[in-house]
């Protein structure tokens, strides 16, 4: 791309799964199935929590919010990808790309913050059980979710606003099935130094702070569990964290895998496959993790009797 060719374009080409045209019907069916499972599974979690008064606790309140965010997170990318596969038209408008990126960053940030909030909830429940009911009141839980929305919204607005100042070359091809911030910055023809600085600073500050909070919470949780004398008490304490710990591991491992694979290969198919892991697969698996490992959710959704 020539630096001088910086005409403001009106559309981009999403190349994510353009390789292997004979696989397009299979990909359409696969992603449609995963999207429907994601929406249906997370809706079941939300309905189970809202309809059962026994589940009106901070842990399940945060879980219902996470399920809602996962539905929105997947819905920002998968429907457009399904339309592109079905129509064999890989185009997305400039306005559509900016809008998609805004909501993608918004819900990805919320996923990150809610996982940190849920880790804090488990930290309070296990390490400070006598103060748990006093601190984790509904108004405080609502405030934690509200702050998560506000910070994620501000970050998303900042990143997309910074992108609007860039100019792009004609016929820009994005090696993803959605408009990803890092790829967009790399494809710009104008100077991207400030965008790179803001993007990496925000990722390090917001993502790093959330991850540090999660690691600290679990460090204190493990220390508290080790101090429990009975084996049954240790098992019960760890069991309450198992689902959340599984989701955290899945989320951060897949995100790390995406960026490692992006650095190692320039293949649009490889990049799209790696991105699909945390944009589609992770939200789809979350309801299964929580319903299969949580007796209260399992009882409410599939009617499995609660073990004594």
């Amino acid at each position: 791309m020539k630096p001088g060719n910086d005409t403001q374009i009106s559309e981009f080409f999403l190349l994510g799964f353009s390789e292997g045209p004979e696989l397009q019907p299979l990909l359409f069916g696969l992603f449609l199935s995963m999207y429907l499972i994601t929406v249906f599974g997370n809706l079941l979690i939300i309905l189970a929590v809202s309809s059962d008064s026994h589940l009106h606790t901070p842990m399940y309140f945060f879980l219902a919010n996470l399920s809602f965010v996962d539905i929105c997170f997947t819905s920002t990318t998968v429907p457009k990808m399904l339309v592109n596969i079905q129509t064999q038209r890989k185009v997305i408008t400039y306005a559509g790309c900016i809008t998609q990126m805004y909501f993608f960053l918004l819900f990805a940030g919320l996923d990150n913050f809610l996982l940190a909030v849920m880790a804090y909830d488990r930290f309070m429940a296990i390490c400070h059980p006598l103060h748990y009911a006093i601190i984790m009141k509904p108004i405080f839980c609502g405030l934690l979710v509200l702050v998560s929305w506000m910070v994620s919204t501000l970050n998303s607005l900042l990143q997309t606003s910074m992108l609007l100042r860039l100019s792009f070359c004609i016929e820009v091809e994005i090696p993803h099935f959605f408009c990803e911030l890092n790829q967009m910055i790399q494809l710009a023809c104008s100077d991207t130094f400030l965008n790179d600085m803001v993007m990496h600073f925000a990722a390090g500050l917001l993502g790093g702070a959330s991850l540090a909070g999660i690691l600290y919470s679990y460090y204190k949780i493990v220390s508290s569990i080790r101090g429990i004398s009975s084996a049954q008490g240790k098992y019960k304490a760890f069991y309450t964290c198992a689902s959340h710990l599984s989701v955290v591991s899945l989320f951060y491992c897949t995100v790390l895998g995406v960026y490692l694979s992006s650095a190692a290969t320039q293949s649009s198919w490889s990049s799209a496959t790696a991105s699909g892991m945390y944009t589609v697969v992770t939200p789809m698996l979350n309801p299964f993790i929580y319903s299969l490992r949580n007796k209260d959710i399992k009882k409410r959704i599939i009617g499995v009797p609660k073990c004594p």
Side-chain angles (χ1 to χ4, degrees), residues 18 31 109 266 290:
S18 58
F31 279 98
Q266 297 298 319
Y290 275 103

Side-chain angles (χ1 to χ4, degrees), residues 17 27 30-39 41-42 70-71 73-75 77-78 81 104 111 177-178 246-247 249-255 258 272-290:
F17 292 106
L27 287 172
L30 177 64
F31 279 98
L32 177 61
S33 300
M34 290 195 294
Y35 178 66
L36 293 176
I37 292 171
T38 300
V39 173
N42 282 288
D70 277 343
I71 292 174
F73 181 49
T74 307
S75 297
T77 57
V78 177
M81 179 188 64
F104 179 84
D111 248 343
F177 60 87
F178 65 94
S246 300
V247 171
S249 302
L250 183 63
F251 179 80
Y252 283 103
C253 287
T254 51
V255 169
V258 166
T273 303
S275 298
M277 286 299 296
Y278 81 96
T279 58
V280 183
V281 177
T282 300
M284 180 187 71
L285 293 180
N286 286 354
F288 291 98
I289 293 173
Y290 275 103

Side-chain angles (χ1 to χ4, degrees), residues 15-59:
L15 303 181
F17 292 106
S18 58
E19 299 174 15
E22 69 281 355
L23 296 177
Q24 298 303 302
L26 177 61
L27 287 172
F28 180 84
L30 177 64
F31 279 98
L32 177 61
S33 300
M34 290 195 294
Y35 178 66
L36 293 176
I37 292 171
T38 300
V39 173
F40 183 68
N42 282 288
L43 275 178
L44 280 179
I45 296 288
I46 295 172
L47 291 174
V49 172
S50 60
S51 62
D52 191 341
S53 59
H54 295 95
L55 301 181
H56 292 174
T57 62
M59 180 175 74

Side-chain angles (χ1 to χ4, degrees), residues 69 72-73 76-77 97-113 148-149 151-163 178-182 184-185 198-199 202-203 206 251 259 278-279:
V69 169
C72 297
F73 181 49
T76 60
T77 57
C97 193
I98 297 297
T99 302
Q100 184 186 66
M101 189 182 307
Y102 169 80
F103 285 108
F104 179 84
L105 291 172
L106 171 64
F107 294 119
L110 278 169
D111 248 343
N112 182 51
F113 293 136
S148 298
W149 273 91
V151 175
S152 188
T153 299
L154 289 174
N155 175 60
S156 186
L157 279 173
L158 174 63
Q159 300 287 359
T160 49
S161 298
M162 292 288 295
L163 195 70
F178 65 94
C179 295
E180 199 264 338
L181 178 62
N182 186 45
M184 294 287 291
I185 293 175
V198 171
M199 179 183 66
L206 303 181
F251 179 80
Y259 286 99
Y278 81 96
T279 58

Side-chain angles (χ1 to χ4, degrees), residues 90-130:
K90 309 298 182 181
V91 173
I92 184 171
T93 64
Y94 178 82
C97 193
I98 297 297
T99 302
Q100 184 186 66
M101 189 182 307
Y102 169 80
F103 285 108
F104 179 84
L105 291 172
L106 171 64
F107 294 119
L110 278 169
D111 248 343
N112 182 51
F113 293 136
L114 285 175
L115 289 175
V117 168
M118 294 171 77
Y120 174 73
D121 172 70
R122 292 299 83 206
F123 161 73
M124 290 300 302
I126 294 174
C127 300
H128 303 282
L130 298 180

Side-chain angles (χ1 to χ4, degrees), residues 125-144:
I126 294 174
C127 300
H128 303 282
L130 298 180
H131 300 92
Y132 180 74
I134 299 174
I135 296 177
M136 301 301 290
K137 291 181 178 180
I139 188 169
F140 181 66
C141 294
L143 184 62
L144 288 175

